[in-house]
Amino acid sequence: MAKNEPAEKMKRKAYEKELEKLQVELCHLQEWVRAQKLKVIIIFEGRDAAGKGGTIKALTEKVSPRVFRVCALPAPSDRQKSQLFLQRYIEQYPAGGEIVIFDRSWYNRAGVEYVMGFCSPAEHKRFLELCPLVEKFAVDAGIILIKLWLEVGMEEQELRFRARIEDPLRQWKLSPMDTESFGRWYDYSRARDMMFEATDTKHAPWRLIRSDDKRRARLNIISHILQAIPYKKIKREKVKLPQRSHKGRYNDQASLRGLKFVEERY
């Protein structure tokens, strides 16, 4: 392979083997976060089709949703539009023993809202000025803040959009906003650059991940999260099932006769 040639995309078998190892470690991390009452925020940002959803699924599929809580807020209501911009996000901040994963976050204002004209230039400027201050307040209060940007290439994004158009199982992922954003690549690039310049701070730095290879990106992200939250394995006592009591024993299947079961089609 030439020096500047991109690496071959990761094979599924190798990916699943490494993912299983990392998911075991996530279970250990979960127990540590719960025991130590840690408060963690993980922000996933990036262009449309950058791979945020698939990464979050890989991150959370083997852990408890009571500890790893995914927050994907819908468009604000009229009442929320009248609140402080960050108010509805702060309401979702973690309590002790929680990891809150923002599938898009307050950084909507620095991206889609700014590019699509949903906020004024003055509101965008004020957000970039105040955001680092609010994040410092959160970090100083003991929250571990991890900010991740998935950087997908122009050609790969187009391939993913076209795959969604053709696949009925993925068409739900497409929205008018997605297709509108597709034509504004460089507008989003400039908005991204402004965001990084204003909010890549010492107390809350951004970490970028190239996500043209979804599988490598997912593994690299999970590995980074495990390194960013110091944890120790907690020894747990082996669970033993008790003996079932036969007191009051009866034919509990006979009592189901006459009730309607779902038709067995498979």
Side-chain angles (χ1 to χ4, degrees):
M1 185 175 66
K3 185 176 180 181
N4 295 324
E5 187 179 333
E8 181 183 357
K9 289 192 175 182
M10 195 172 197
K11 302 298 184 184
R12 178 177 293 277
K13 188 173 181 180
Y15 163 72
E16 291 178 346
K17 181 179 179 181
E18 292 304 315
L19 178 62
E20 183 177 6
K21 294 176 186 176
L22 293 174
Q23 287 177 332
V24 169
E25 291 302 314
L26 285 172
C27 290
H28 293 310
L29 171 64
Q30 171 179 255
E31 295 304 310
W32 181 256
V33 167
R34 187 154 47 188
Q36 298 297 314
K37 302 294 183 185
L38 298 183
K39 294 173 287 185
V40 182
I41 292 175
I42 305 173
I43 291 174
F44 281 87
E45 292 289 345
R47 300 177 194 271
D48 293 315
K52 297 180 292 295
T55 302
I56 291 171
K57 181 179 179 181
L59 176 63
T60 59
E61 65 181 349
K62 301 297 184 181
V63 292
S64 170
R66 294 184 179 89
V67 179
F68 284 76
R69 177 162 58 86
V70 179
C71 180
L73 295 181
S77 64
D78 289 340
R79 180 176 182 274
Q80 289 170 331
K81 288 177 182 177
S82 70
Q83 296 175 340
L84 295 173
F85 172 70
L86 282 164
Q87 187 170 336
R88 72 186 187 122
Y89 294 102
I90 293 174
E91 289 172 353
Q92 300 295 327
Y93 275 21
E98 289 184 345
I99 298 174
V100 176
I101 299 168
F102 280 96
D103 183 358
R104 295 199 179 277
S105 64
W106 47 92
Y107 282 102
N108 272 345
R109 175 134 297 182
V112 63
E113 290 190 16
Y114 173 64
V115 173
M116 303 303 294
F118 297 150
C119 69
S120 68
E123 288 173 325
H124 174 251
K125 182 175 182 291
R126 181 164 176 78
F127 169 79
L128 293 181
E129 290 172 348
L130 294 181
C131 182
L133 302 177
V134 174
E135 291 180 349
K136 188 169 193 312
F137 175 80
V139 171
D140 288 348
I143 291 176
I144 299 172
L145 178 57
I146 301 171
K147 303 192 303 190
L148 303 170
W149 175 273
L150 279 68
E151 180 67 16
V152 66
M154 185 184 290
E155 293 181 2
E156 180 64 23
Q157 187 197 46
E158 181 172 349
L159 287 174
R160 293 178 187 179
F161 270 127
R162 294 193 181 282
R164 289 179 181 183
I165 292 170
E166 299 299 328
D167 186 350
L169 296 178
R170 287 187 279 182
Q171 285 174 1
W172 64 269
K173 293 184 176 182
L174 279 173
S175 70
M177 194 62 61
D178 294 334
T179 52
E180 179 67 23
S181 71
F182 178 79
R184 303 194 181 198
W185 177 273
Y186 292 107
D187 290 339
Y188 273 93
S189 293
R190 292 186 184 93
R192 175 203 63 192
D193 295 344
M194 293 169 67
M195 180 189 76
F196 286 155
E197 184 177 359
T199 64
D200 183 26
T201 60
K202 185 177 180 180
H203 59 271
W206 282 99
R207 291 293 180 265
L208 280 63
I209 306 94
R210 294 203 178 276
S211 62
D212 281 8
D213 185 336
K214 291 182 179 180
R215 292 168 183 164
R216 292 185 194 277
R218 292 170 190 169
L219 298 179
N220 287 328
I221 286 170
I222 296 174
S223 177
H224 172 73
I225 290 170
L226 290 168
Q227 291 181 341
I229 310 171
Y231 69 99
K232 297 178 182 178
K233 295 180 182 178
I234 296 177
K235 188 175 182 181
R236 302 182 66 182
E237 293 185 9
K238 190 173 182 179
V239 177
K240 294 182 180 179
L241 288 175
Q243 290 290 326
R244 278 203 174 106
S245 171
H246 293 290
K247 185 178 179 180
R249 180 177 179 177
Y250 73 106
N251 188 343
D252 62 346
Q253 294 303 300
S255 61
L256 301 179
R257 292 170 188 162
L259 298 177
K260 292 183 178 179
F261 283 79
V262 169
E263 183 180 352
E264 293 185 1
R265 298 182 179 182
Y266 302 97

